[in-house]
Every structure is written in structure tokens, then in C-alpha cells.
């Protein structure tokens, strides 16, 4: 085995705390995409495609997106997917658990801090002091910004850009006042360039930072053309560092101080208050340049004072590139240190953890549990070994979900995965999308058979170490006819295709958040035979159930956290042995991917504890059923446009939101063929069970299949999303969401309106509402008549799905007790 396999695993799986980045911008921002690859501006941008960083980075972005390595193709992909989708894809691949954003670099149409919280478990704010001063002088803000709700974790100075780093620590009040007058005489908007006034601001900020025990980040080294590189050498800060008044002010020298990395390393080695950050140098330099710069930082500087950041700016791709190259560079640097016997392998593994996360956590006081996990709700008792595991990854699982909703995988050795499979995939029979829950062969009427083969191509942006099996990785696969040519039966591609229509036709993104119910079963031997029975017999939200199951539940939550899947809450459900996890909302493609991984986690961790977790819709015909309810909303440029304003709309839903929801309601009988895919699903969808048995909608009505929801924090009189209750754990989540979105698109195109909401138990007003399909046969019949879903989802795929569903109907009607075996498959 490779001597450095443990180090490589530690680097690849390490949690990343991005200690310095900037805001992401909307797709229609004037901030040029070429700025993702260079600090150049204006006419100098035309030469960027000829740089090493551009050529390398474009290839890596194209590989992530599965597109050709062309700037136009990549930009077309970004436009078709939308900023939220590409952000989710890039950040999932980057695996960044916390980010500190300097939003003082104001870009056209940049998203606010709150928007970024949808994608990072923790977002902190870095306050750019010169920009704050300018805004105060422009009278755009008051000093109350210091207590802004966005959590400020540090200050930042760009004095290097304005007047250089030779700060006069003894600037007189008179000189500062003259400098201020000079600034004000220049007019508004204010831009502070007077050295005396800049030094005064810097000294004041240093005093405040020291008082509040907040780090002060200082731009050093290279940047754009506004900067005089000669004045950005950190050695100019020596008078500040020697001033005893500021000896406790923690100073972070940014950007590896390139090309002054050796000087920065020296300062960190002799001044206890100096720390280093290598963002921007990684990934903007050539690989040799990155390697040399980071090695120079570590020549003298203590390892516990060196930190990672991306200095990402404007584009999610810059987060991905920064994280990817940082891992590659850090492995190369530390491997060489081991070869030269500067460090042992265990010491190098510890350095990985310190540089990538722990140093920043301590310096910026970032809580160990991401904010998406409220410590008052979930006390994670499981300490995962992912980031420090000495086990080498030996195998990679490539996972897909078939037309029947079953999770399947191929497993390949890691070396073969990276040498061959990552680009060329593995072969898969065309019959894979024609299999039913009871037979591993093609169902009749699907037009698919054992003749023909496709390629299962791993989507590398979804790859992660398996939390319960650290020697393995898992990744979701896309179905292609050949690498680069998607197969029209591929569920993930189907969701992407329908998402593209919503984006191109209406400039919208559909967001989704799942609530996944499941039963925990224990093995009770009966006459020597295996018999699975509920874990307990407690009631809804039972504290006893929570106590008894918490070792399992907390380990599940910990595994999900390691995969960057946000858990909003969990609780015991009404069924015996039944529990629910509610997940954070995100764009629908990521939500579907997340629920696949969440199901994997829940079943695997349960098995580890000797239990069986099942998502089967109706485990016991005498008990409540399990759903996989999904909450749906719409966004445009990151803003929720499903929500209406109080008093301006009839139901608190926007006109666009109403049209979309009305489309879903109109097509709901057909949608059930995707979201309730087995006969057992209809044993669950019964009146008086909170499962939504009638074709209607309601305001916070849990007996309606569509519930308009106003969770805590929603403005009074507004609805932020709607819940679909007729979605269960046997459904392929990508196809289920694709069918919902297709129906919503039809509602938008036809400008449909909602009927009056049902504000009573629909079973009490049967004369006013129609029953939803009572069986899979009825929902398949509705789907066969639905020309809209057929056009938007695709004729061939619908034929295959209908064939699979008819096979389910036939088999379970002829084998009355066969549904009991579903617990082993879902």
C-alpha cells in the first residue's frame, strides 16, 4: 500500500474552514466571469485565457460540470443551470463547512450574507474597515454597523491598496483631521486614499479589534493594479508589530504575502500575534508557484499559525478551485516534508487538520457544530473519525436510483476509479431502468431489455468518504450513452432538463426540503425465524423514544453533518418505532441528491446498531404510514418569489407561486405515479391519517395533500412554501421532483389559479372534493392521459415508468403478502 495513503485520505476528507472569501454574484452581474481566473481588470482581462491558471482551471471546472473545456460551453452551462444550482454543485465538491465573507468588496448584483447561509453550515462576516469608514462619511450607514446582526468574526484592512503598509502608529490628531478634510473635499462618493487618514483608521480599528479580541486581516502581497506591490511587503508592518499598544492584536497576513512569502514566514515566527493565510496565492499561481509559496510559509512559521482560505470572489467556481488546489498543494507539501523527514506521517496528518480548519476555528472562535445544527436541538454525541482517519480509501461506490426507487451501486477499487472509471464510467445494462421492486429484470412494456449498454458516469461533485465506512467513498452516477452524452432515461438528467426549462422560460429555480419518516425495527426471533418488529411503542414526539433511540439518531445526524446535509430537526413520529428527520431546503437537484445520501446513512447506521430502518410507506396496515414529505418554493436570483406580501395577495402566495402550485394540484393524480410508486403507497394515502387523500389544498391543513406553509419567521399573512404530503420513501426523488416541476411549469404557462382552500378535514366535505387515486392503477391511468408530463419528462422515460408500475400492480395483486418484503428494499 502507498506509504502516504493515510496522508492523502486525511487531505481529501478534511473539513475546510474558508477563512476569507467574498460574495457570490447573480448570473446577470456585470462582474466578468474571467475575474474568476485573474486579478486583472479592464482591457487586461483579454489576455487572461492565455494564463496557466485559466487553462488549468477551465479544464477542472469543465470536468466538474461534465462539459467540454470551452469558456463558452462552461458559461452556457452556468446560464442554463442558474446560480443556485452551480453554487450547490461547486460547494458540495469543495466540502467547505464554514466561510468568512468580506462583503466590503462590493460587486454588481452580489448576494447578501443571508443568501450564502443556504449553502454553508456556518457563515461569518469580515468587516472591511476602510469601506465602513467610507459608508459612514457618505452617510449611508451609522456606527451601529458594528453590532449588525450578521456575526462579525474579524476585521480586514486594505491599506496596502490605498497607501501601503508602512503604518504610522503615532499619527497625530491634527494630521488625521487634515487627512479627513482632504478626503471630504474630494466629494462623494467617498474614496479614502489619504495616507494620514488611512493610518488613523487602521490604528483605531486595531484598538477595537484588540479590545473585542477579533483578528485583523491585512491584505499583503499581490492584488489588482490599484496596488503598489512595493508597499505591500509585510515587513513594512514592523513598526506596528513592535508597538506594545498592539501586542495583543492578532494580525493575519493574507494571500501568502506573495511574492513576499519568506518575509511573512519570518514575521509569524518571531511575533506571537502574527498569523498567515495562503488564499489567492492558491489557486491563482501556477502549481509550482503555489507549492513554492506554501513551502516558504512553512519554512519558519509555526504550523498552528497557518490557515487556508479560497479568497473566492463572485463565482462559486472560485470556491471549488480554491478548495481543490489547496488539497492538492497541501498533500504535495506535506508529503515532501515526510520524504525529507521534516515531519512524520502522523504529524503531517495533524497539520492537515490544523491548517484546513482547527487554526481558523480557534482564531475566529467558530463553534465546532455548524449553525445549521442547533446544539439545543441536537447534541451530537458521536465523534466522527473522518478527518483524521489513517485508513486509506480502498473502494468507491457508484450509486444510482432506478425507476422503481431502489438504491443500487457498483463498487470499484479506488485506483481503477481514478485511472479509468472517473472519466469513462462503468458499463450498465439498459434494463437497469426497467426493473421493478420484485424482479431484477426488465418489466414488460418498458421498451427496455438486456440488449444494449449504457455508461454510469460518476458525478465527482457528489463524491465523499462514507461516514460509516471510512475505507470507502461514494458518489452518485449519471447515465450516459457514452461519456458526455446523457441517456434520456437518466433520472438525474431528467430533473436537470426540466429545471433548465423552468430557468430559461421563467428565470426561476425550484427549491425543495424533505421530511423523511422511517421505522426503526428490531429483530425478534420467533420460533427460530427472523421477525422484524417496531423499536418501541411510544407516541408522537415521545421523549422516551428520543432517549432510547438517541445513540442511533445522533450518529445519523453526525454522519449527515459530515456530508454537509443540514438537519433542521428530528423527532419521534406517531407510529410505533417511527422517527422523522427534517432537512434544510436547497435547490431541487441538491435536495434530491441529499435525500439519496440521507437514506443511505439512515439504513446503514441503523444496521450498525443491529436495527433495520425502512422507508416503506405502510409497514403495518394497522399503524400510521411513513412519507417523505417535500416542501417546495421558488426563487429568482436567490430571493423567494413564491411568497406573497401580506395584504397584496389573496392567500399570502405570489401570483407566480399560485400558478405554479395550481399546476401541481391539477396534475397531482399523475404525479402520484412518480411519488407513490408501489401499491403499498396507497395503503398509506387514506383519509384521516394526515397523508392527503383528497384532491385539494389548504392553509396549514395537514389532511390536504398540498399544504400552504408559514413556518416560524415567515412574515404575517405570507406563505413561504407549500408541502406535498403524497411523496414517500419508495419514490425516485429526482423523478418525483421532475414531475412536480413539470406540473408547475404547466401552471405557469396556462396561468392557472387555485380553487378555494379547504379549511376542514376533507373527509368531512366529500361532496366538495374529489378523491385522489385510491390505487397505483388509478394513478398510472392518470399518467397515461397526461400529455403535459409526457412532453416535459419525455415519452420514452414515461413508457418505461408506466411499464414498471404495471409490473408492480400485477405482482402484488397476485402475491398478497409480498409487500411485507419491501422493508428489505426501501
Amino acid at each position: 500500500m502507498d506509504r502516504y495513503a493515510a496522508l492523502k485520505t486525511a487531505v481529501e476528507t478534511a473539513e475546510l474552514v474558508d477563512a476569507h472569501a467574498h460574495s457570490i454574484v447573480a448570473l446577470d452581474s456585470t462582474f466578468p466571469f474571467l475575474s474568476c481566473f485573474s486579478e486583472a481588470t479592464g482591457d487586461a482581462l483579454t489576455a487572461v485565457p492565455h494564463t496557466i491558471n485559466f487553462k488549468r482551471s477551465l479544464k477542472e471546472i469543465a470536468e466538474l460540470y461534465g462539459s467540454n473545456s470551452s469558456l463558452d460551453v462552461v458559461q452556457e452551462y452556468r446560464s442554463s443551470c442558474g446560480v443556485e444550482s452551480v453554487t450547490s454543485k461547486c460547494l458540495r465538491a469543495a466540502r467547505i463547512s464554514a466561510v468568512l465573507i468580506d462583503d466590503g468588496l462590493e460587486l454588481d448584483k452580489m448576494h447578501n450574507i443571508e443568501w450564502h447561509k443556504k449553502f454553508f453550515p456556518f457563515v461569518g462576516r469580515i468587516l472591511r474597515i476602510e469601506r465602513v469608514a467610507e459608508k459612514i462619511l457618505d452617510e449611508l450607514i451609522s456606527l451601529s454597523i458594528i453590532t449588525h446582526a450578521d456575526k462579525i468574526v474579524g476585521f480586514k484592512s486594505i491599506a496596502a491598496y490605498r497607501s501601503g503598509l508602512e503604518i504610522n502608529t503615532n499619527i497625530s490628531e491634527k494630521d488625521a483631521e487634515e487627512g479627513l478634510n482632504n478626503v471630504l473635499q474630494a466629494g462623494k462618493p467617498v474614496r479614502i486614499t489619504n495616507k494620514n487618514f488611512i493610518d488613523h483608521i487602521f490604528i483605531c480599528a486595531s484598538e477595537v479589534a484588540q479590545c473585542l479580541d477579533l483578528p485583523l486581516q491585512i491584505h499583503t502581497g499581490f492584488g489588482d493594479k490599484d496596488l503598489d506591490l512595493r508597499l505591500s511587503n509585510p515587513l513594512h508592518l514592523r513598526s506596528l508589530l513592535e508597538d506594545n499598544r498592539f501586542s495583543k492584536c492578532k494580525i493575519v497576513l493574507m494571500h501568502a504575502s506573495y511574492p513576499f512569502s519568506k518575509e511573512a514566514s519570518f514575521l509569524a515566527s518571531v511575533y506571537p500575534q502574527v498569523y498567515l493565510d495562503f488564499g489567492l496565492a492558491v489557486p491563482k499561481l501556477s502549481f509550482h508557484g503555489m507549492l513554492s509559496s506554501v513551502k516558504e510559509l512553512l519554512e519558519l512559521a509555526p504550523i498552528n499559525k497557518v490557515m487556508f482560505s479560497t479568497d473566492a470572489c463572485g463565482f462559486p467556481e472560485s470556491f471549488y478551485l480554491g478548495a481543490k488546489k489547496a488539497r492538492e498543494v497541501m498533500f504535495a507539501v506535506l508529503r515532501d516534508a515526510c520524504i525529507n523527514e521534516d515531519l512524520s506521517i502522523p504529524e503531517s496528518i495533524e497539520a492537515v487538520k490544523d491548517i484546513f480548519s482547527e487554526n481558523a476555528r480557534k482564531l475566529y472562535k467558530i463553534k465546532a457544530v455548524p449553525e445549521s445544527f442547533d446544539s439545543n436541538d441536537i447534541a451530537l454525541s458521536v465523534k466522527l473519525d473522518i478527518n483524521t482517519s489513517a485508513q486509506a480509501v480502498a473502494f468507491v461506490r457508484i450509486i444510482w436510483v432506478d425507476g422503481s426507487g431502489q438504491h443500487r451501486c457498483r463498487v470499484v477499487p479506488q485506483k481503477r476509479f481514478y485511472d479509468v472509471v472517473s472519466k469513462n464510467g462503468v458499463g450498465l445494462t439498459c434494463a437497469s431502468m426497467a426493473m421493478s421492486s420484485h424482479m431484477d429484470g426488465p418489466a414488460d412494456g418498458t421498451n427496455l431489455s438486456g440488449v444494449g449498454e449504457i455508461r454510469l458516469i460518476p458525478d465527482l461533485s457528489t463524491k465523499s468518504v462514507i461516514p460509516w465506512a471510512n475505507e470507502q467513498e461514494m458518489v452518485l452516477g449519471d447515465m450516459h450513452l457514452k461519456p458526455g452524452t446523457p441517456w434520456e432515461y437518466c433520472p438525474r438528467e431528467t430533473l436537470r432538463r426540466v429545471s433548465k426549462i423552468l430557468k430559461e422560460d421563467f428565470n426561476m429555480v425550484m427549491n425543495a426540503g424533505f421530511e423523511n419518516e422511517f421505522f426503526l425495527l428490531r429483530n425478534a426471533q420467533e420460533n427460530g425465524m427472523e421477525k422484524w418488529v417496531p423499536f418501541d411503542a411510544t407516541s408522537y414526539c415521545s421523549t422516551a423514544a428520543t432517549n432510547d433511540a438517541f445513540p442511533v439518531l445522533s450518529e445519523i445526524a453526525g454522519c449527515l453533518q459530515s456530508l454537509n446535509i443540514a438537519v433542521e430537526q428530528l423527532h419521534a413520529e406517531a407510529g410505533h418505532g417511527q422517527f422523522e428527520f427534517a432537512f434544510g431546503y436547497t435547490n431541487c437537484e441538491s435536495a434530491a441528491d441529499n435525500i439519496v445520501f440521507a437514506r443511505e446513512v439512515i439504513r446503514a447506521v441503523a444496521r450498525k446498531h443491529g436495527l433495520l430502518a425502512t422507508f416503506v410507506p405502510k409497514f403495518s396496515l394497522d399503524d400510521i404510514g411513513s412519507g417523505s414529505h417535500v416542501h417546495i418554493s421558488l426563487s429568482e436570483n436567490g430571493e423567494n418569489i413564491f411568497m406573497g406580501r401580506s395584504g397584496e395577495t389573496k392567500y399570502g402566495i405570489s401570483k407566480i407561486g399560485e400558478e405554479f402550485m395550481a399546476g401541481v394540484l391539477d396534475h397531482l393524480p399523475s404525479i402520484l405515479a412518480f411519488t407513490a410508486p408501489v401499491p403499498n403507497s396507497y395503503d398509506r394515502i387514506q383519509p384521516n391519517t394526515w397523508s392527503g387523500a383528497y384532491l385539494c389544498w389548504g392553509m396549514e391543513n395537514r389532511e390536504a395533500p398540498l399544504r400552504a406553509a408559514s413556518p416560524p419567521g415567515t412574515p404575517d399573512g405570507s406563505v413561504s412554501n407549500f408541502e406535498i404530503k403524497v411523496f414517500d420513501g419508495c419514490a425516485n426523488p429526482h423523478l418525483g421532483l421532475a414531475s412536480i416541476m413539470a406540473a408547475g411549469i404547466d401552471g405557469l404557462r396556462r396561468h392557472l389559479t387555485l380553487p378555494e382552500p379547504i379549511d376542514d378535514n376533507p373527509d368531512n366535505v366529500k361532496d366538495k372534493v374529489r378523491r385522489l387515486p385510491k390505487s397505483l392503477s388509478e394513478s398510472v391511468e392518470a399518467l397515461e392521459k397526461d400529455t403535459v408530463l409526457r412532453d416535459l419528462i419525455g415519452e420514452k422515460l414515461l413508457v418505461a415508468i408506466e411499464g414498471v408500475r404495471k409490473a408492480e400492480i400485477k405482482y402484488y395483486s397476485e402475491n398478497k403478502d409480498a409487500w411485507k418484503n419491501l422493508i428489505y428494499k426501501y
Side-chain angles (χ1 to χ4, degrees):
M1 184 175 287
D2 182 1
R3 180 187 172 195
Y4 304 105
L7 175 59
K8 185 177 183 182
T9 298
V11 169
E12 289 179 347
T13 62
E15 170 194 11
L16 298 184
V17 172
D18 187 349
H20 184 79
H22 302 279
S23 302
I24 293 171
V25 301
L27 279 179
D28 57 348
S29 169
T30 57
F31 188 56
F33 184 57
L34 282 174
S35 296
C36 184
F37 310 100
S38 173
E39 292 295 289
T41 57
D43 292 343
L45 280 171
T46 59
V48 168
H50 302 284
T51 63
I52 290 175
N53 179 46
F54 174 86
K55 294 176 183 296
R56 179 191 67 224
S57 298
L58 187 65
K59 290 176 189 174
E60 293 176 336
I61 294 171
E63 182 177 318
L64 176 67
Y65 291 161
S67 68
N68 293 330
S69 184
S70 155
L71 182 61
D72 290 340
V73 171
V74 167
Q75 288 186 292
E76 181 182 347
Y77 178 92
R78 300 182 83 252
S79 297
S80 65
C81 291
V83 68
E84 294 203 359
S85 179
V86 296
T87 298
S88 181
K89 193 177 193 72
C90 289
L91 296 183
R92 183 192 289 275
R95 302 196 302 281
I96 297 170
S97 65
V99 64
L100 311 184
I101 293 180
D102 165 18
D103 58 349
L105 176 60
E106 296 177 355
L107 306 171
D108 178 55
K109 296 182 181 178
M110 72 182 195
H111 292 294
N112 59 24
I113 293 283
E114 193 63 31
W115 182 87
H116 292 78
K117 292 179 180 178
K118 293 192 293 185
F119 304 98
F120 297 97
F122 176 90
V123 179
R125 190 175 185 216
I126 298 294
L127 203 66
R128 185 181 286 221
I129 60 175
E130 291 86 2
R131 187 64 190 123
V132 171
E134 289 168 346
K135 284 189 170 184
I136 292 172
L137 295 177
D138 275 329
E139 299 177 351
L140 297 177
I141 61 171
S142 69
L143 286 169
S144 63
I145 190 171
I146 301 299
T147 58
H148 194 280
D150 291 325
K151 186 180 179 185
I152 295 170
V153 296
F155 292 172
K156 160 90 178 284
S157 171
I158 55 167
Y161 270 102
R162 303 295 176 86
S163 56
L165 295 179
E166 197 167 355
I167 306 296
N168 181 358
T169 58
N170 296 306
I171 190 76
S172 69
E173 186 173 323
K174 179 182 177 183
D175 288 342
E177 287 178 356
E178 289 178 354
L180 174 59
N181 288 331
N182 177 272
V183 169
L184 293 176
Q185 286 172 8
K188 295 183 179 180
V190 171
R191 176 175 168 82
I192 302 173
T193 57
N194 181 275
K195 177 170 170 38
N196 287 338
F197 191 53
I198 287 174
D199 290 353
H200 174 69
I201 292 170
F202 188 99
I203 295 304
C204 291
S206 300
E207 291 172 347
V208 174
Q210 184 168 261
C211 179
L212 298 177
D213 194 24
L214 292 176
L216 173 60
Q217 297 182 347
I218 302 178
H219 182 108
T220 61
F222 74 132
D224 63 41
K225 68 177 184 179
D226 284 348
L227 178 135
D228 185 335
L229 190 61
R230 297 166 297 180
L231 300 178
S232 66
N233 188 326
L235 290 180
H236 288 303
L237 292 168
R238 192 167 180 276
S239 61
L240 172 76
L241 300 176
E242 287 288 328
D243 195 317
N244 289 331
R245 291 176 297 165
F246 309 110
S247 62
K248 300 298 182 183
C249 182
K250 296 170 182 172
I251 288 173
V252 186
L253 306 181
M254 306 303 294
H255 314 317
S257 299
Y258 181 84
F260 310 113
S261 303
K262 291 180 180 179
E263 289 87 337
S265 181
F266 163 73
L267 293 175
S269 71
V270 297
Y271 290 104
Q273 70 270 42
V274 175
Y275 297 77
L276 308 177
D277 184 301
F278 57 75
L280 189 64
V282 178
K284 289 293 196 294
L285 303 179
S286 70
F287 191 83
H288 173 75
M290 292 186 283
L291 204 64
S292 299
S293 183
V294 173
K295 282 186 174 182
E296 286 178 357
L297 290 184
L298 293 173
E299 290 286 350
L300 294 173
I303 291 173
N304 66 348
K305 297 173 81 174
V306 179
M307 288 169 287
F308 157 81
S309 76
T310 61
D311 198 44
C313 182
F315 307 101
E317 291 85 354
S318 55
F319 286 93
Y320 168 66
L321 294 170
K324 184 176 188 297
K325 302 321 290 184
R327 292 184 195 274
E328 294 174 6
V329 169
M330 192 52 59
F331 173 70
V333 168
L334 295 176
R335 180 197 57 199
D336 288 353
C338 292
I339 291 171
N340 295 324
E341 298 185 351
D342 286 333
L343 295 174
S344 66
I345 290 177
E347 287 171 337
S348 291
I349 291 173
E350 187 65 23
V352 169
K353 184 177 180 181
D354 287 344
I355 293 170
F356 278 153
S357 62
E358 290 308 304
N359 295 344
R361 282 195 184 282
K362 293 172 184 175
L363 185 65
Y364 297 101
K365 302 181 182 67
I366 302 171
K367 290 186 292 186
V369 179
E371 288 189 348
S372 58
F373 286 82
D374 190 322
S375 59
N376 293 322
D377 294 334
I378 304 174
L380 296 176
S381 61
V382 178
K383 185 174 182 181
L384 299 174
D385 295 324
I386 291 175
N387 294 333
T388 57
S389 172
Q391 291 177 287
V393 172
F395 295 97
V396 182
R397 300 182 192 179
I398 311 171
I399 297 172
W400 76 96
V401 183
D402 68 12
S404 72
Q406 293 183 85
H407 293 204
R408 301 176 186 267
C409 74
R410 287 283 185 87
V411 183
V412 295
Q414 190 203 43
K415 185 176 187 305
R416 177 169 176 76
F417 178 85
Y418 286 106
D419 289 349
V420 179
V421 174
S422 62
K423 292 184 179 179
N424 300 304
V426 295
L428 204 63
T429 173
C430 291
S432 296
M433 278 300 289
M435 297 177 182
S436 63
S437 66
H438 62 275
M439 185 175 69
D440 287 339
D444 293 339
T446 58
N447 291 340
L448 293 171
S449 70
V451 177
E453 187 168 89
I454 58 168
R455 293 290 177 264
L456 187 65
I457 307 291
D459 179 352
L460 297 180
S461 72
T462 67
K463 185 171 68 68
S464 60
V465 170
I466 296 178
W468 61 92
N470 292 350
E471 73 284 0
Q472 299 180 56
E473 292 176 321
M474 59 182 174
V475 63
L476 295 180
D478 289 321
M479 298 172 175
H480 285 204
L481 288 169
K482 60 181 180 179
T485 306
W487 192 39
E488 54 202 319
Y489 294 87
C490 176
R492 296 183 82 230
E493 181 60 30
T494 299
L495 181 56
R496 289 191 197 104
R497 190 173 66 249
V498 181
S499 297
K500 183 178 180 181
I501 294 171
L502 182 65
K503 181 65 178 178
E504 290 182 346
D505 290 3
F506 301 99
N507 194 32
M508 293 180 203
V509 171
M510 188 178 92
N511 300 310
F514 281 93
E515 298 173 356
N516 214 88
E517 296 171 336
F518 59 94
F519 282 90
L520 280 180
L521 309 177
R522 58 183 176 83
N523 193 347
Q525 293 287 327
E526 189 173 277
N527 299 322
M529 301 289 289
E530 180 182 75
K531 182 179 180 181
W532 292 96
V533 300
F535 175 78
D536 62 18
T538 54
S539 53
Y540 172 71
C541 283
S542 164
T543 56
T546 304
N547 287 335
D548 292 344
F550 204 70
V552 183
L553 302 178
S554 63
E555 185 169 352
I556 290 171
C559 290
L560 292 168
Q561 177 188 352
S562 76
L563 296 173
N564 283 334
I565 298 175
V567 175
E568 293 196 340
Q569 59 177 302
L570 60 89
H571 61 86
E573 261 296 350
H576 291 176
Q578 189 183 35
F579 297 88
E580 176 186 296
F581 273 82
F583 303 111
Y585 86 96
T586 182
N587 69 79
C588 61
E589 295 167 46
S590 296
D593 291 349
N594 285 349
I595 201 66
V596 173
F597 286 130
R599 291 175 185 170
E600 288 291 305
V601 167
I602 291 168
R603 287 182 68 87
V605 172
R607 273 298 200 183
K608 179 180 173 182
H609 287 262
L611 304 172
L612 179 68
T614 179
F615 306 102
V616 68
K618 196 75 169 177
F619 164 68
S620 170
L621 300 183
D622 299 323
D623 202 350
I624 205 76
S626 284
S628 187
H629 312 156
V630 64
H631 289 257
I632 301 294
S633 66
L634 300 170
S635 65
E636 182 178 28
N637 297 325
E639 302 299 323
N640 187 334
I641 58 171
F642 180 84
M643 183 165 57
R645 296 181 180 178
S646 178
E648 295 183 11
T649 57
K650 188 173 181 180
Y651 306 117
I653 303 170
S654 68
K655 184 178 183 296
I656 286 171
E658 180 180 353
E659 291 178 359
F660 188 93
M661 185 174 171
V664 175
L665 183 63
D666 188 55
H667 291 275
L668 198 55
S670 307
I671 291 172
L672 257 65
F674 291 96
T675 61
V678 293
N680 182 262
S681 299
Y682 299 82
D683 293 326
R684 168 183 168 262
I685 305 173
Q686 297 293 325
N688 304 306
T689 60
W690 292 14
S691 57
Y694 291 89
L695 185 60
C696 64
W697 76 283
M699 304 290 291
E700 298 292 7
N701 186 343
R702 283 173 167 77
E703 280 290 355
L706 301 188
R707 174 175 72 96
S710 302
T714 305
D716 289 344
S718 295
V719 171
S720 69
N721 67 84
F722 70 99
E723 178 187 31
I724 301 176
K725 302 187 76 67
V726 287
F727 203 125
D728 67 47
C730 294
N732 181 305
H734 296 87
L735 294 181
L737 290 178
S739 68
I740 291 166
M741 192 186 308
I745 289 171
D746 185 49
L748 292 169
R749 286 175 173 174
R750 293 196 286 145
H751 304 292
L752 296 181
T753 58
L754 288 168
E756 288 296 314
I758 299 298
D759 57 5
D760 193 0
N761 183 343
D763 201 42
N764 295 336
V765 289
K766 298 176 186 176
D767 56 324
K768 296 182 180 179
V769 293
R770 209 159 41 97
R771 185 75 158 81
L772 277 174
K774 297 179 182 179
S775 66
L776 182 56
S777 299
E778 291 183 16
S779 64
V780 170
E781 183 179 347
L783 180 60
E784 289 177 321
K785 298 175 182 177
D786 198 321
T787 57
V788 170
L789 294 195
R790 192 167 297 273
D791 289 343
L792 286 170
I793 291 178
E795 170 75 23
K796 291 183 178 180
L797 177 57
L798 247 67
V799 167
I801 292 300
E802 289 163 359
V804 171
R805 300 295 182 263
K806 289 176 181 177
E808 307 281 25
I809 294 164
K810 184 176 186 295
Y811 178 79
Y812 289 105
S813 66
E814 295 173 353
N815 299 272
K816 298 299 183 182
D817 289 334
W819 63 272
K820 296 178 181 178
N821 292 322
L822 291 173
I823 62 172
Y824 301 108
K825 302 188 177 185
Y826 301 97

